[in-house]
Each structure stands twice: as C-alpha cells, then as structure tokens.
Amino acid sequence: MQRRKTEEAVFKGLMIASVSIVAAGLLTIVAVIAWKGVPALSIGMITQTPKGGFYLGKEGGILNAIVGSLYLAGGATLLALVISLLVALFLQREYIGKSRWAGVVRLSLDVLWGVPSIVYGAFGFVIMVYLGMRASLLGGIIVLTLLEIPIMARALDEVLRAVPRELKDASYALGTTRLETSLNVVTRQVLPGILTAVLLAFGRGIGDAASVLFTAGYTDRIPTSLLDPVASLPLAIFFQLGTPFPEVQARGYASAVVLLVIVLLIAVGSRVLSRRLTKYVVK
Amino acid sequence: MISKRRLADLVSTRLMLAATALVGVTVLFIAVMLFLKARPILATNSLGDLFLSSSWRPSRGEFGLFPFIMGTLWVTVLAGIIALPVSILGALYITEYAPPRVRAVAKPVVDVLAGIPPVVYGVWGLVALSIGGIAIGFNVLSGSIVLAIMVIPVILGVSEEVFRMVPQDVKEASLAVGATKWETARNVVIRSSLPGLAAATILGFSRAFGETMAVLMVVGNIARVPSSPLDPAYPLTALIANNYGEMMSIPLYDSAILLAALVLLLVVLFFNIAARLVLIKVQQKWA
C-alpha cells in the first residue's frame, strides 16, 4: 500500500512539474523579450520608417514593418474569412454534411493545417516566378491566405456544427432557403465563434515569417499598391538581429516586443470579445 | 422562371462548391508544382547522390542533402523526446487532477503559447540559451529546446482532447475496485488513449519537422552531419530559407532547394494523414 501511495505522489509531482514547465515557458518568453526589448523601445521606433543608416544604428523606426504586417495579415485574414466561411457552411448538414465528402474535406483541411509555412513560401515563390511576379504585398497576402484557410475553416466548421438543429429547423419552417438561414440565423448565432476564428487566424498570419520571406520581400517604405514589396514584423526582427551592431540588435528585440504585444492583445481580446458577444446567442 | 431567392441559393451553393474544391486540391497542386520544379535535378543526379551524399557543393553540381536531412532528424527527435513526457503528464494533470481554478488558467496559457510567433521563440532561444546562465551555444540541443517548447502546446492540446474522450464511468469502474488515481490514469486513461497519444505525438513531431524560423536562429546552420546534441546542425527548412535569394544564380540550385521543400511536404503529409486517420478512429471508438 505504501509503495502505491509513493508512486501516486511521485507521478503527481511530475505532473505538476510538467505544468509548471509549460507555464514557466510562457513566463520566461514574455520576461526575456520584455527585458531585452523594452529598454530599446521608443515612440520614434513605432512612428517612423527607417531613415538613412538605420541598419547601422542611426535614426528611424519600424513603422514600415508594423504597417506592412497589418496589411499582410489583414488582407489575408479577410480573404481567408470569405473562402473559409463558404467552405465551412458547405460542410454543414444542409449541404454535404451528410455525405462522405464532408469527412474527406475535413481531413484535407487538417492535413493542410500541418503543411509547414516554409513549404507554402516555396510554393508561392515558384508560382510567382512562373507568373513573372515580383515579391509584393499581393504575393504575401495570397500565401498567408493559404496558410490561414485551414485554421479558420476548421474553427468555423466546429462552431457551425454546434448550432442547435432546432434553431435551423425553426428558420426553415418559415420557408427560408438554405442561404437565408445560413446568413440570417446561423452566422449571427455563431458570431462570437467567427470572431475567435478570425483573431486566431490573424495572429497566426501576423507572426509567420517563413512564408512571407520569399513572397512579400522587404522594403523601408510603406507600400502604396498591392504590387509593391512590403516589410513585415517577423522579418524585421530576424534581419535586425542578424546584423553585427548592438544598437540594431537592440531594436530587433524591441520589434519582438511589438510583435509579442500584438499577439498577446489578440489572445486576450478574443477571449474578452467572445465572452461579451455570447450574451446575444440563443441558447 | 426561377425566383430570385432560389437563384441566390443556387449561386451561393456553387460558390461554396468552388471554394471547397479549391481548398481540396491545394495540397495536390503544391505537391505537383514542387515536383515539376524538382524534376531537373532528379533527372541529372541519382537518388543516392541526392539523399545519401554529404557533399553539398552547388557550384560543382553536387547536391547531397544528407547532412540537412540528418540535421532535421536530430533536432526533431530530440525536441520530441523533451516535449513528449511534459506534454502527456501536463495533459493528464489538466484533465484528471487539476482543480477547476488551475484548469481555468492552464487552458489559456497553452493557447497563448501556441499563438506565439516562431520568430519570438527564436529570439527567446537566442537570449535564454546563449547568454543566460549556461551558454549552450548554437547547436542541436538549443534548437531542440526551443522546438520542444513550441510543440508542447500541440501535443498537450491533442492529448488533452483524447483524454477527455475517455468516458467517466470507465474511470469510475477502476476507482471502484480500489485503484489509486494514478493507477487509474496509467491503466485506464493512458492505456485506452494510446492510439490518440500516438497521433498527438506524430502531429507534434511533424510540426517540429517543418518549423523554420525558430530553429534557424539557434541551431548554427553548418552543413555537417551532427554526431552529438552539442554539434551544430543545418535542417532542411533552414536550407530553404537561407538560400532562396541566390538559388537562381547557379544551375539546378533552385531545383535542389525545391526538392528539399518537396521532401518536407511529403514527409509531413504522410505523418499528418496517418495521425488524423488514427484520431478519427479514436473518436468513433468512444462515440
């Protein structure tokens, strides 16, 4: 009996240690980034684009990368939302939900979710070379859209599936078409879920570097057209840390703070918003 | 005369079908495009030279991917070994042991960790592993530690779902015959979840396998086959990311790089499909 109790205690200890490691992982990431980055952070850093000699440690900021990342992730999230919503609605009972195809589509979405972002990047690069396109905002948006679709479509599918059947049946009993029920009843019912999915995909899009490395390029200017190259925060961090100058490296850490803050705000925001919007959902 | 409402319904259905078909063929399209681009090098260099040779000299037409493949394997496997026990024990604690208050905190922590960008993990790795305390340096071990923290949310998240599927009455049956909580966890929860845990592990491994930025920043990037965790490595993903700029300048270079991308894709696809099929089976078992 004593031995069994010891075993219980040992493993419970190991489990608590494991959970602590996970929590400590998050804490040290936030702490390390803040410790290295916050001292180098200034108003100028987030309101100016790079000036001459920026990459040698002179004047300027990373506004180009902040705006670029927002453009890239914003555009991709919008496109991904349109496509994912179509796909997710199509997976429901009214459409192909009852056939075997629904399972096949879900499986392929799950598999797409696992495709490494560097592969998306290489693929985007091949297509752009083939079409004679230069690295541009449009190229980056398209590749990020591909990256975001599986995340968003699968998340939307989960929330759409949870819509009570009675609710839909009540709508159909009034003589509505599938489209009308989907748009007026279902999507409203799952608005909090849609928002969570959008923020999840946006967060993934804004943080990804490997896919935009080939396709979006990098520039010190804020793009004015879809065909201009565009800077992004992850690459700004990567390039600045890659230089041998301590001042520039310090700015790389500060850029990491900016990215981390955006991502954490998204995480907190999606929780708060989804809780608040849930009030209006028919239970 | 078909009514406007019917027409809208019809058109929207077609659009949905088109979007779904588009998404469905994406993987195939990516694979085919990469294969077409990799074909020139598959035609001139033998498979043995490409996959088993260690000599990477693009200017001489030698494209041995072996050091990169081994680099990827070293980093991935070591990351998995570190992440696996932590993830499974953590998931077990969250589903079976944790008081509701701890659970309410643990879930968001895992979610936030999953949402942190790879490049931030890389920065953390650079600072925490090279400066703070023990200097581990740029090598396989550093890469694996960073990757392990990155894939823990993946393995832990899926394991948690798998554990949660085990019906309550099965656990209660075990407790009723006098098993301790841990014995129930070990003999009932873990044992009946083994296929699901395997799937969770595979998903975590394939995430690690394809990760680029975080690894690239801490692993050293020297094209030699590592012989210990303290040697530097040069994974496939880093090879692709570091060389896209010059890959048009040397003949067949781009082909070799895209072959590396194709290898990554095929390996990840194979493992992902296997893992997902297992998970579907697990779901059916408890349904």
Side-chain angles (χ1 to χ4, degrees), chain A residues 32-244:
Chain A
V32 161
I33 303 288
W35 167 56
K36 294 290 281 188
V38 169
L41 211 55
S42 67
I43 298 292
M45 240 205 84
I46 53 174
T47 55
Q48 293 175 349
T49 56
K51 303 264 159 60
F54 178 71
Y55 298 101
L56 301 168
K58 298 253 177 62
E59 294 279 282
I62 52 156
L63 186 67
N64 59 330
I66 297 174
V67 175
S69 266
L70 292 177
Y71 280 174
L72 280 167
T77 306
L78 208 64
L79 268 180
L81 176 62
V82 173
I83 297 174
S84 306
L85 201 55
L86 287 171
V87 174
L89 284 173
F90 201 52
L91 283 173
Q92 306 312 309
R93 190 164 56 86
E94 296 81 338
Y95 296 96
I96 57 164
K98 279 189 267 178
S99 77
R100 300 186 57 202
W101 286 104
V104 175
V105 175
R106 286 191 179 110
L107 178 67
S108 59
L109 283 172
D110 284 340
V111 170
L112 271 177
W113 177 82
V115 172
S117 63
I118 187 89
V119 172
Y120 281 114
F123 166 70
F125 182 71
V126 169
I127 297 292
M128 287 168 69
V129 168
Y130 186 72
L131 296 176
M133 254 170 87
R134 280 190 321 138
S136 61
L137 179 56
L138 183 64
I141 287 180
I142 292 174
V143 171
L144 280 181
T145 305
L146 288 179
L147 186 85
E148 287 185 15
I149 285 175
I151 306 168
M152 192 128 68
R154 214 52 182 88
L156 290 177
D157 176 37
E158 293 292 327
V159 290
L160 287 179
R161 268 205 281 185
V163 172
R165 197 173 170 154
E166 297 79 10
L167 196 67
K168 289 195 206 170
D169 288 344
S171 167
Y172 287 130
L174 297 173
T176 57
T177 64
R178 297 181 295 186
L179 178 67
E180 288 160 351
T181 299
S182 297
L183 288 184
N184 302 335
V185 179
V186 175
T187 44
R188 280 191 201 184
Q189 174 77 4
V190 299
L191 205 57
I194 293 180
L195 203 80
T196 313
V198 164
L199 287 174
L200 189 71
F202 185 86
R204 179 81 195 275
I206 204 167
D208 200 77
S211 58
V212 293
L213 184 63
F214 307 123
T215 50
Y218 199 83
T219 170
D220 285 353
R221 265 171 310 192
I222 291 171
T224 50
S225 110
L226 276 174
L227 296 173
D228 286 348
V230 58
S232 52
L233 269 174
L235 292 182
I237 298 166
F238 182 61
F239 291 148
Q240 291 179 109
L241 282 180
T243 65

Side-chain angles (χ1 to χ4, degrees), chain A residues 4 7-8 11 18 28 86 90 107 109-112 114 116 118 125 175 178-180 209 214 241 263 271, chain B residues 5 9 13 20 23 27 86 89 97 111 115 124 178 180-183 186 210 212-213 244 247 268-269 276:
Chain A
R4 293 172 63 203
E7 195 183 320
E8 172 89 34
F11 276 92
S18 301
T28 60
L86 287 171
F90 201 52
L107 178 67
L109 283 172
D110 284 340
V111 170
L112 271 177
I118 187 89
F125 182 71
R178 297 181 295 186
L179 178 67
E180 288 160 351
F214 307 123
L241 282 180
V263 170
R271 256 160 216 290
Chain B
R5 294 173 55 208
D9 194 63
T13 309
T20 308
V23 170
V27 170
V86 174
L89 287 171
Y97 282 79
D111 287 349
W124 171 73
T180 63
K181 215 165 177 185
W182 162 248
E183 283 165 342
R186 187 188 60 194
T212 309
M213 263 349 202
Y244 79 100
M247 70 191 190
V268 167
L269 280 186
R276 292 297 172 181

Side-chain angles (χ1 to χ4, degrees), chain B residues 59-107:
Chain B
S59 50
R60 284 207 240 153
E62 290 171 13
F63 297 99
L65 289 172
F66 190 64
F68 307 99
I69 294 172
M70 287 312 284
T72 292
L73 286 180
W74 265 94
V75 175
T76 306
V77 171
L78 197 57
I81 292 173
I82 300 170
L84 198 56
V86 174
S87 308
I88 290 181
L89 287 171
L92 206 54
Y93 183 76
I94 292 173
T95 45
E96 304 297 326
Y97 282 79
R101 240 186 318 156
V102 175
R103 199 176 303 169
V105 180
K107 192 95 181 81

